[in-house]
Amino acid sequence: KALGGYSGFFDAVKVKEEKLDQVLELDYGLITQSKAIGELAVKVSRVDTSSPEWKMLTDELKERVDRFEESLRERERILSTP
């Protein structure tokens, strides 16, 4: 849990404690998601591109990257709203 919020010395935007908690939770999720994406990418790279498994894995990889990008947009939204 964040203590008292955050603002850098030169930051024009001050982040309240509640928002900082949300961002920290999202950041943890982003770390978890990025590890899973990396693991899946390794798996995709080891599968024959002509196999049905490759298509299934690449579809899953795209979905995970899309969710990761949505989490980044949510993080940005939280930080940009007063």
Side-chain angles (χ1 to χ4, degrees):
K1 183 163 175 124
L3 299 175
Y6 167 82
S7 68
F9 188 70
F10 295 104
D11 290 349
V13 176
K14 305 223 183 281
V15 180
K16 300 290 183 195
E17 181 179 355
E18 180 182 312
K19 281 190 177 189
L20 187 55
D21 287 340
Q22 291 174 334
V23 170
L24 288 172
E25 185 176 325
L26 273 171
D27 285 351
Y28 178 74
L30 287 167
I31 291 167
T32 302
Q33 288 176 19
S34 66
K35 287 179 182 179
I37 288 169
E39 291 168 1
L40 186 55
V42 168
K43 188 184 276 190
V44 168
S45 72
R46 293 182 178 154
V47 174
D48 183 349
T49 58
S50 64
S51 75
E53 183 183 9
W54 185 84
K55 169 73 169 123
M56 181 189 70
L57 290 172
T58 56
D59 287 346
E60 183 181 346
L61 183 58
K62 182 186 179 320
E63 289 175 17
R64 288 186 186 201
V65 170
D66 289 345
R67 285 194 303 264
F68 183 85
E69 290 175 338
E70 181 57 37
S71 294
L72 285 174
R73 285 189 291 275
E74 176 65 12
R75 184 184 193 278
E76 184 176 332
R77 186 194 65 74
I78 289 169
L79 289 174
S80 66
T81 56

